[in-house]
Amino acid sequence: MPAHPVLASPLPTVRQPEPFVNADTAAAFVGITRRTLLQKVREGRIPGHPLDCGAKKKEWRFKLSELDRYLSLCDKLRSLCDKLRSAAT
C-alpha cells in the first residue's frame, strides 16, 4: 500500500477570475465608438464598473462576458419586438 493514498477523483480546477478590459477594448468588442460606450454606461444601459465610485469623472472597466450577455439579450429582445410587430399587422 502506498504511503499516500491516491485520490479517487481529480482535484477541481481553479478558474482564474475574468480580467477587466478598458473602454477602448470594450467599445471594439461591442462595435461602437468609445464615446458612445461611455455615454451608454453612464446612462446605465451597458454594464460597466467604475474604478472610483466617488470620482466626478469616472474611469470605467468592463468584463467581456457581461457585454456578450448584454448583446445576446438585446438580440433576443429585438427578435421578440419584431415578432410582436409582425403579429400586430
Side-chain angles (χ1 to χ4, degrees), residues 35-83:
R35 182 178 181 167
T36 300
L37 176 87
L38 292 173
Q39 180 182 358
K40 289 182 181 293
V41 76
R42 283 191 295 267
E43 294 169 352
R45 297 175 60 200
I46 286 184
H49 305 272
L51 290 181
D52 182 0
C53 294
K56 190 171 189 173
K57 185 175 180 182
K58 293 180 176 52
E59 197 170 328
W60 294 89
R61 293 295 181 263
F62 304 86
K63 289 193 173 189
L64 295 181
S65 64
E66 293 175 351
L67 294 172
D68 188 52
R69 253 179 300 192
Y70 165 79
L71 293 172
S72 294
L73 180 60
C74 286
D75 287 343
K76 289 176 185 175
L77 288 174
R78 191 175 305 114
S79 175
L80 178 61
C81 288
D82 290 343
K83 288 178 185 177

Side-chain angles (χ1 to χ4, degrees), residues 7-42:
L7 297 174
S9 62
L11 294 174
T13 57
V14 177
R15 291 183 52 189
Q16 294 297 320
E18 178 184 358
F20 286 92
V21 298
N22 63 20
D24 292 323
T25 303
F29 180 80
V30 176
I32 58 178
T33 65
R34 181 181 193 277
R35 182 178 181 167
T36 300
L37 176 87
L38 292 173
Q39 180 182 358
K40 289 182 181 293
V41 76
R42 283 191 295 267

